[in-house]
Amino acid sequence: MKQCGIMVIALLTLVSGCTEPRTVQKTETIMGTQVSITVVAQTAEQGEAAIEAGMAEVRRFDAMMSLYKDDSEITRLNLAAGKQPVRVSPEMIEAVEQAAEISRRSGGVFDVTIGPLVVLWQMRLKEGKIPSDEEISRVRPRVNFRNISINKKDSTIFLKRSGMIMDLGGMKGYIADQVAGLIKRRGITNALIALAGDIWALGHREDGKPWRIGVQHPREKDRTLAVLELSDQYVCTSGDYERFIIKEKKRYHHIIDPRTGKPSTGVVSVTLVGKKGALIDPLAKVPFILGVEKGLGLIREYGAEAIIVDDQGKVTSTAGIVLL
């Protein structure tokens, strides 16, 4: 799975209560990033079992959705682009449907088929270069979520155009939703599930207080923008600092505008808070492309809260966020 947000976890500071035997925490490296699960359980054994089940679920989805595994469902889908439909799991159908919803609602500024452009920019950034306009023009026609055909009856997905690459890197929130549901089914109602810059806060801490998540300024590392008190909410942070190079005093980063084929401009960081990770995670990319005001318009339609920092350092937030 493409990693977007490996550094973001450093920007979300978990402030926990007193550590007692009933609070159990474990961190593993999965999907190329840090996955941390903290639970409040009746016994340490119950907590450890719930955490291991949660980690196993993350590994299962990584095996399903990773672009870097030859036998993953998404790799098979991409290799079959323009050729034939591919039978996939119900979870893949659901994740792609939810990604397609944000793609439609955003007018395609979030596009789950952005893969060809992402791959092009990744290749060139690793070389310390930027793609040429000619390279971008060749790749852009392969990016169009409308060319995804889903057949729920047959449980198949078909990418209609050859060379398409579906990329679910913006759907870590869907995985977090599934892990949260699994942990709740195991009788754990208070937990913190962190996948890079994506965090599900279930219930509350051991002391009965909400989980507290600190959001730092993307350019000023010693400045905290807000401390979020969360209970049964999901928070996602995305920024232009995750993967980038600077050429001729210009920053080229990994958040690509499908309309231009080039990195977005104007917004440097977005933090969203909501009730469903599968919607909030992709929605966090929208203000980078649409800008602050239009991005906030769509965010409010979903009832989410936001903190957005633009490239001039201006911080804008919705009514439910108290800035420091």
Side-chain angles (χ1 to χ4, degrees):
M1 176 171 291
K2 177 179 75 68
Q3 294 310 306
C4 56
I6 293 175
M7 295 178 62
V8 180
I9 195 67
L11 301 178
L12 296 176
T13 304
L14 185 157
V15 184
S16 62
C18 298
T19 301
E20 296 179 0
R22 290 191 299 117
T23 297
V24 185
Q25 190 270 342
K26 185 177 181 180
T27 299
E28 289 188 20
T29 299
I30 311 174
M31 305 188 301
T33 191
Q34 294 292 297
V35 176
S36 178
I37 301 178
T38 303
V39 303
V40 181
Q42 294 301 312
T43 65
E45 291 77 12
Q46 181 196 27
E48 290 166 0
I51 288 173
E52 181 49 43
M55 292 294 187
E57 189 77 339
V58 178
R59 290 190 289 269
R60 184 172 77 88
F61 278 103
D62 183 38
M64 182 190 305
M65 298 179 176
S66 173
L67 288 174
Y68 305 107
K69 297 183 185 298
D70 293 341
D71 58 349
S72 69
E73 289 187 8
I74 199 165
T75 295
R76 291 191 291 108
L77 267 172
N78 291 333
L79 290 175
K83 300 174 184 176
Q84 70 272 330
V86 173
R87 187 173 180 82
V88 297
S89 63
E91 292 99 331
M92 180 66 78
I93 295 282
E94 185 176 45
V96 173
E97 281 186 325
Q98 295 192 28
E101 177 185 342
I102 297 296
S103 296
R104 287 191 296 269
R105 292 287 296 274
S106 69
V109 298
F110 171 83
D111 195 315
V112 72
T113 67
I114 194 70
L117 285 169
V118 171
V119 169
L120 174 62
W121 277 91
Q122 283 180 338
M123 290 172 56
R124 293 296 174 262
L125 292 182
K126 285 181 180 178
E127 298 168 351
K129 303 176 183 178
I130 60 173
S132 67
D133 290 342
E134 291 76 15
E135 287 177 311
I136 292 171
S137 295
R138 284 197 299 269
V139 167
R140 276 186 60 208
R142 303 175 195 168
V143 178
N144 191 337
F145 71 94
R146 298 171 185 85
N147 286 328
I148 301 173
S149 177
I150 299 174
N151 186 322
K152 295 184 73 171
K153 181 180 178 181
D154 295 337
S155 195
T156 62
I157 297 177
F158 179 38
L159 304 181
K160 298 178 183 179
R161 181 165 185 153
S162 177
M164 290 180 68
I165 301 175
M166 190 158 60
D167 184 345
L168 293 173
M171 293 299 291
K172 292 190 301 298
Y174 175 81
I175 300 174
D177 289 344
Q178 303 310 304
V179 175
L182 175 65
I183 286 177
K184 286 194 289 186
R185 290 193 296 274
R186 297 182 71 92
I188 303 292
T189 56
N190 304 309
L192 202 68
I193 302 157
L195 282 69
D198 297 56
I199 297 179
W200 240 121
L202 295 177
H204 49 72
R205 304 183 312 190
E206 185 179 333
D207 60 8
K209 296 179 180 180
W211 299 98
R212 305 185 73 216
I213 307 295
V215 182
Q216 291 183 341
H217 194 287
R219 298 287 193 265
E220 303 171 32
K221 302 303 182 183
D222 58 348
R223 178 183 173 189
T224 300
L225 295 175
V227 176
L228 308 175
E229 296 195 345
L230 305 178
S231 180
D232 294 323
Q233 291 172 292
Y234 174 89
V235 59
C236 170
T237 291
S238 189
D240 71 351
Y241 42 77
E242 295 164 18
R243 287 189 305 277
F244 69 94
I245 65 169
I246 296 178
K247 296 278 291 184
E248 298 178 355
K249 299 183 179 180
K250 185 173 181 180
R251 180 183 295 253
Y252 294 92
H253 57 85
H254 73 291
I255 302 173
I256 308 300
D257 185 340
R259 302 170 302 180
T260 65
K262 298 179 180 181
S264 63
T265 59
V267 170
V268 302
S269 178
V270 176
T271 296
L272 295 190
V273 179
K275 294 290 187 179
K276 188 173 184 179
L279 293 177
I280 295 300
D281 192 3
L283 192 61
K285 311 303 183 295
V286 172
F288 287 94
I289 315 299
L290 290 183
V292 176
E293 292 306 317
K294 289 183 179 179
L296 282 174
L298 186 57
I299 287 166
R300 291 189 179 101
E301 288 183 25
Y302 282 99
E305 302 289 351
I307 302 172
I308 302 176
V309 183
D310 70 17
D311 58 2
Q312 301 302 307
K314 180 181 178 182
V315 181
T316 302
S317 65
T318 51
I321 299 289
V322 178
L323 296 176
L324 298 180

